[in-house]
Amino acid sequence: MTGGRLNGVDADREAQLLFRVIDTISAGLDLDLMLQGVATLVTETTETDVCFVHLLDEKGRALRLHGATPPFDVLVGKIELAVGEGVSGWVAEHGEPVVITDDKTADPRYLYIPALRGEEFTSMLSVPIVTPLGHLVGVLNVHTRARREFTGADVELLRSVAGLVAGAIENARLHRRLAEREEALESFAERIVEWQERESRRLAGEIHDGISQRIVSLFFHLSAAADAIAAEPGDPAVAAEQVARAQELAGAALDETRSAIAGLRPPVLDDLGLAASLESLGHSFPGLDVRVEADDLRMAGHVETAVYRTAQEALQNAAKHAAAESVRIRLSRHAGRAVLEVSDDGTGFDPVAAVPAAAPGGGVPQPTGLGLSGMRERAELLGGTLELTSAPGRGTTVRLAVPFSPRGHPGPGPARPGTPGWPAHRPR
């Protein structure tokens, strides 16, 4: 095609391309299949030899190949460029198209990638893929083996195609995130049900094996005391001994009852608030030197419970698995977020190798209860994030960030990572 492409047959071909692109992106295909279909349409209609579609990652730092015409389709997902690297990276960084007619190696922006066999192609046109709102989502490139002078009309046609594709890419990503969210919610619901069943069995076992047995013994001791008092003549010493034993059993049963109730909802949260509850929690681990710095944050009850449980699970992990000697807990507020950090000086581990729920005896130190994946899902349901940082021999840090709002007020959007380091506090 040449500069006269917009007239006669070429104008019809342009319209046909745009309509076929619309049909392709409306067909309900997954993202990679859709992009490969678009790449094929572009090369067929523009009489180019190969087309590459690079998408910007969610962090906006790198471009990854997501669509390509054969034989390069096998490289999808395997080629990645940093923004600013190569011609595609330059287009992503500056938001402007690039035309190279020949001698690509003389262009300082060009980066040779052996797998893409750039030496086989002479001319190229690269355009940014931008949404109507101006958000960059990727870069679209076409290449020709024969020398080709891409015209302004060629550039505009590719930009039109890129504009159509941009909206489809954003929609596909939104649908994928929604599907992942729904899947996470389903998984979280299943884990919650399993956890509730385990907690119910645990509580029933504690009541049956502990509290109820003590009450039965208490009944017998009180009966013995009553018999001793009613005997002729009465024996005050025996009665006093039975009453004393009954008092011990009553106290033990009361302690177990309180412990069982605390396992469901920490009453200390209602009595003292979250900050003081974290201080109290630290004192309940006598084998650890726990230092706490906690701002007095008052949030919705379920949020405070989630924060408290996260700290509790992290401390249990440090005590049982990490061989830690000291732990630092910090609770603070940053830019609309409540941030909890629990850092220990234990053995640490490789988070990549850790599975969501290690088998008993597997030796993988990770939070108890719902496990690390469950903790993350719980954080996400609160609109927050949970991050785990660890390395062998360098300890472990659990960081929970959730939207902060006073009780009775809706919270802000999801939290973002990044908080200052640990400040020391008074030793326990």
Side-chain angles (χ1 to χ4, degrees):
M1 294 183 189
T2 63
R5 176 179 56 78
L6 296 179
N7 298 317
V9 175
D10 291 336
D12 291 339
R13 187 174 293 177
E14 174 185 338
Q16 182 186 39
L17 169 61
L18 295 178
F19 281 123
R20 292 178 68 187
V21 168
I22 292 172
D23 286 340
T24 299
I25 64 180
S26 303
L29 303 173
D30 67 36
L31 182 58
D32 288 343
L33 286 177
M34 177 191 74
L35 294 178
Q36 185 160 342
V38 168
T40 301
L41 289 176
V42 168
T43 55
E44 289 176 356
T45 310
T46 62
E47 297 179 357
T48 51
D49 295 305
V50 67
C51 177
F52 299 118
V53 183
H54 303 270
L55 296 189
L56 192 66
D57 68 4
E58 295 188 0
K59 294 182 178 180
R61 298 175 182 173
L63 294 166
R64 177 170 293 180
L65 185 65
H66 273 263
T69 48
F72 301 102
D73 52 325
V74 297
L75 298 176
V76 166
K78 300 177 182 178
I79 302 296
E80 187 171 294
L81 292 167
V83 170
E85 184 179 24
V87 173
S88 297
W90 188 95
V91 171
E93 186 174 42
H94 294 83
E96 296 293 335
V98 168
V99 173
I100 298 179
T101 303
D102 51 28
D103 197 11
K104 291 181 292 188
T105 58
D107 192 310
R109 297 168 296 189
Y110 179 72
L111 174 68
Y112 176 69
I113 301 175
L116 298 182
R117 297 174 1 210
E119 69 276 6
E120 297 181 12
F121 304 96
T122 303
S123 304
M124 72 174 292
L125 167 59
S126 179
V127 299
I129 303 174
V130 182
T131 68
L133 296 178
H135 300 147
L136 177 77
V137 295
V139 175
L140 187 151
N141 297 339
V142 291
H143 299 257
T144 61
R145 290 185 174 86
R147 186 179 184 278
R148 167 87 168 266
E149 293 187 4
F150 289 102
T151 66
D154 293 325
V155 173
E156 290 307 311
L157 175 59
L158 263 294
R159 294 189 80 158
S160 296
V161 171
L164 292 173
V165 172
I169 291 170
E170 288 224 317
N171 286 337
R173 283 178 166 173
L174 288 173
H175 282 296
R176 184 184 64 194
R177 289 171 189 157
L178 179 60
E180 290 172 351
R181 181 82 168 183
E182 290 176 349
E183 184 178 350
L185 287 173
E186 290 177 3
S187 175
F188 182 71
E190 291 175 1
R191 290 175 180 271
I192 285 293
V193 171
E194 293 174 0
W195 178 77
Q196 288 174 332
E197 289 298 319
R198 287 198 301 269
E199 283 297 289
S200 295
R201 289 194 294 269
R202 178 190 64 79
L203 186 58
E206 288 185 3
I207 293 174
H208 179 271
D209 299 333
I211 299 173
S212 64
Q213 296 299 322
R214 293 185 187 279
I215 292 176
V216 170
S217 298
L218 174 63
F219 173 78
F220 284 126
H221 283 294
L222 290 176
S223 296
D227 292 342
I229 293 173
E232 289 289 344
D235 192 339
V238 172
E241 180 183 356
Q242 296 299 327
V243 169
R245 291 180 180 178
Q247 287 176 326
E248 292 177 1
L249 289 168
L254 181 60
D255 288 341
E256 289 190 10
T257 302
R258 287 171 175 167
S259 176
I261 293 173
L264 300 175
R265 161 71 180 175
V268 68
L269 286 174
D270 298 320
D271 297 337
L272 302 177
L274 181 57
S277 296
L278 293 176
E279 291 272 5
S280 176
L281 179 63
H283 289 292
S284 67
F285 289 82
L288 295 174
D289 175 19
V290 182
R291 301 184 180 186
V292 179
E293 178 176 308
D295 295 342
D296 187 18
L297 305 183
R298 299 286 175 149
M299 298 175 287
H302 68 284
V303 178
E304 291 186 353
T305 299
V307 173
Y308 181 89
R309 290 302 187 201
T310 299
Q312 185 180 47
E313 290 172 358
L315 280 169
Q316 288 173 348
N317 183 64
K320 293 180 180 180
H321 303 290
E325 295 181 357
S326 65
V327 178
R328 291 181 177 178
I329 300 175
R330 184 184 181 209
L331 176 68
S332 57
R333 180 181 177 183
H334 293 282
R337 306 184 310 278
V339 180
L340 171 76
E341 290 180 316
V342 183
S343 179
D344 67 59
D345 63 354
T347 55
F349 65 103
D350 181 3
V352 176
V355 293
V364 178
Q366 58 177 333
T368 58
L370 292 179
L372 179 59
S373 63
M375 293 170 67
R376 281 181 173 149
E377 289 167 359
R378 180 169 58 191
E380 289 173 0
L381 288 176
L382 294 175
T385 58
L386 186 132
E387 299 173 357
L388 184 71
T389 304
S390 186
R394 300 183 63 182
T396 300
T397 296
V398 175
R399 181 180 181 278
L400 173 71
V402 295
F404 173 83
S405 62
R407 291 177 183 174
H409 294 274
R416 297 187 302 273
T419 60
W422 294 100
H425 192 51
R426 67 181 187 279
R428 185 177 54 78

